[in-house]
Amino acid sequence: MRCKIVGLLFFTFVYATICVAQKKSNNQKADSVLRLMTLDEKVGQLNQYNDDNQATGPVTIDNNKVDQVKNGQVGSLLNTIGSDRTRSWQELAMQSRLKIPLIFGQDVIHGFKTTFPIPLAEAASWDLPAIQMSARIAATEASASGIHWTFAPMVDIARDPRWGRVMEGAGEDPYLGSLISAARVKGFQGLNLGDTNAVMACVKHFAAYGAAVGGRDYNSVDMSERQLYEIYLPPFKAAVDAGAASFMNSFNDLNGIPAVANNFLQRTILKEKWGFKGFIVSDWGSIGELINHGYVKDTREAAAAALMAGTDMDMESRAFKNNLAQLVKDGKINIELVNDAVKRILIKKFEMGLFDNPYKFSNIMREQAALNNPAHQAAARTMAAKSIVLLKNNNNILPLSKNYKKIAFIGPLVKSLIENKGFWDVSIPGVDSNFIVSQWEGLQNKIGPGTSLLYAKGCDIEGNNKSGFSEAVSVANQADVVILSIGEKRDMSGEAKSRSNINIPGVQEELLQQLLATGKPVVVLINAGRPLVFNYTAKNATAILYTWWLGSEAGNGIADVLFGDYNPSAKLPMTFPASVGQIPIYYNHFNTGRPALDDKNHIYNSSYLDESIFPKFPFGFGLSYTNFSYTNLVLSNKNMNMKDSISVSFTLTNTGKIAGEEVAQLYLHNKHASVVMPVKALKDFKKIMLTPGESKKIQFNINKEKLSFFNSNLKWDAEPTDFELMIGSSSEDIRLQASFELKK
Ligand code: NOJ
């Protein structure tokens, strides 16, 4: 009895303290809570477990999670979905001594119930407001299902399409990647982290994960500091500037130091230099994996190394939970390091409003409304159309006439559902996740009563079976035009989905060959999570649409583009190689001392004897159903000093017969500098809608910031020199050129 009274008094005291603290800043509130915490409870806040719902990594069996949550030994759960399930875990957390709420994290990478195109596809839209909106909708749906925190955006620059995770990022360019990174952070987090429809962003994977040797996932990374600063870090910095709440570190080692134990990355750059105030979570089990790296001898050393290097939360390796308290007691870890990590997490819990109402995200009414919202589906359809890249269009076969009597729709992806979602779709237990418009259904929705759609599968995505070819050929023979839908399976790209051969798999290109032999025009849809190699298709198909994985509304989005209800405007965010042997291939390479100018001359220059030096499709490339002309380039000045700026203008005209959008791209090149500079680097772009015959004056502004780079001392600065300015429709299709000088 006496015990109960003492217990009650203690809780009252705790509550009073927290309540008084509520009038204070979140920083002060976190301090107040921190003062009440035992060492065990502090370590608990740094501990994140996977719920048993689903797994996105190697599972550790642990039957004791419920008790640990009740005892305040868990700070966060991942893969807990649904307002009911999150509520019941939170109720357990509310039984703990200090009632510190849990945060629920989830990989909401491209939509939640409404699946949007994979991030690489969205990046192809170069449409920042649309990308931000896609993240906003994902957050609205996820937050209604109890999720507080998404492990996105993934902002890793990727120059190697063998790496399966290229599908998850924004491609190869640091400038475009930075703008998209900021747009996604703002989209997820909304106006204010405390809003019920805002989820915390988690920017990942810090850092340089996309440069894994050989494109093999989780592999080592070895790169110069200059390349790190210039190419790989900018999207992370942009995310910090956009207010990202959290970061995730990466599985790779960087120049011999695993990222999770990398003091230079996490403390020196992120927390000190960039002033990041949020917290850093490890990747799944990666603290424990320090042993596999050969960086530490056991999990005790792993926990110490990770915490000291700035990792604040341990996802699923139990290294912090099992070792940190003892490390502190043994004097091996300063308690202030633990306090700092705990406080960073508590502050976010306060900012999210979870101390005021731990259940604010777990509301079944809101969940039902948010997960069945036609406006979200409409936005996903528009985003799907915006993401499709038109790579080829012989004889302007596209857009397809609505007067065709018979259209053959052939291929292994025509009727598939789940493939359209792409890797990292969220499957929501208990919720109808088969909400996908197949490509077949999309076309059926579109065609008029005078057109009939004929179908044959033709072949599988993988394997050598050609038994369906003859049926496909006979269907093609009956039709006016053939549409062939081929590509990868959804799980051929994504985490741990690296491929050494990135051709279109199986016998799909052979099927195309047979269909072309009928003499019918063949429009090819290529579905994939990465740039593929498809030289036969590129040469022989009548038209090609690169459709990536487009999500719930794939079928409708594709039909909109095929029939011209949407005029394609997307541009490749990654270079498409002509062969695997060219990889890594990217547009912003250096010139070298012996540049090759063509593929014929191999005399002591930087070329291949047996392969072109040029990509199949360059960065920034994408056709439209109309044409654009670029004229009247005017620079306000031919030179500027460090404080000046130059205004650049030109006239963009839609010279075709259909309204359309063009992404006009501005590239710059410093003719010489204290370090070697790329042959061109994207510095600005504008996406402009023009009606047929319409012209608009487009303006770019060039100031010192646009001309700056990490110099030989790794200082962000500009150097006086001559600059080449290039404006074009892709990184290779340069339409206007000029030069100017930057003076001291
Ligand atoms: C491992 C992945 O690398 C990471 O991106 C993801 O967020 C976590 N697993 C959690 O699923």
Side-chain angles (χ1 to χ4, degrees), residues 110-183:
H110 52 112
F112 191 68
K113 184 185 175 191
T114 311
T115 311
F116 278 73
I118 57 169
L120 187 62
E122 287 195 348
S125 74
W126 295 50
D127 190 328
L128 301 171
I131 291 172
Q132 185 165 334
M133 180 54 74
S134 156
R136 184 82 294 275
I137 290 172
T140 305
E141 293 189 0
S143 62
S145 254
I147 308 298
H148 305 134
W149 183 25
T150 174
F151 302 125
M154 188 275 227
V155 305
D156 297 308
I157 294 294
R159 291 172 156 184
D160 189 335
R162 291 172 299 180
W163 187 50
R165 298 196 82 167
V166 299
M167 53 80 50
E168 218 179 314
E172 75 187 33
D173 184 64
Y175 178 76
L176 179 62
S178 298
L179 294 177
I180 292 177
S181 164

Side-chain angles (χ1 to χ4, degrees), residues 56 78 107 151 165 168 204-205 209 248 251 283-284 315 424 495:
T56 45
L78 77 147
D107 291 287
F151 302 125
R165 298 196 82 167
E168 218 179 314
K204 67 191 193 185
H205 304 84
Y209 183 39
M248 184 186 293
F251 283 122
D283 205 337
W284 184 298
M315 181 192 289
W424 285 122
E495 186 183 347

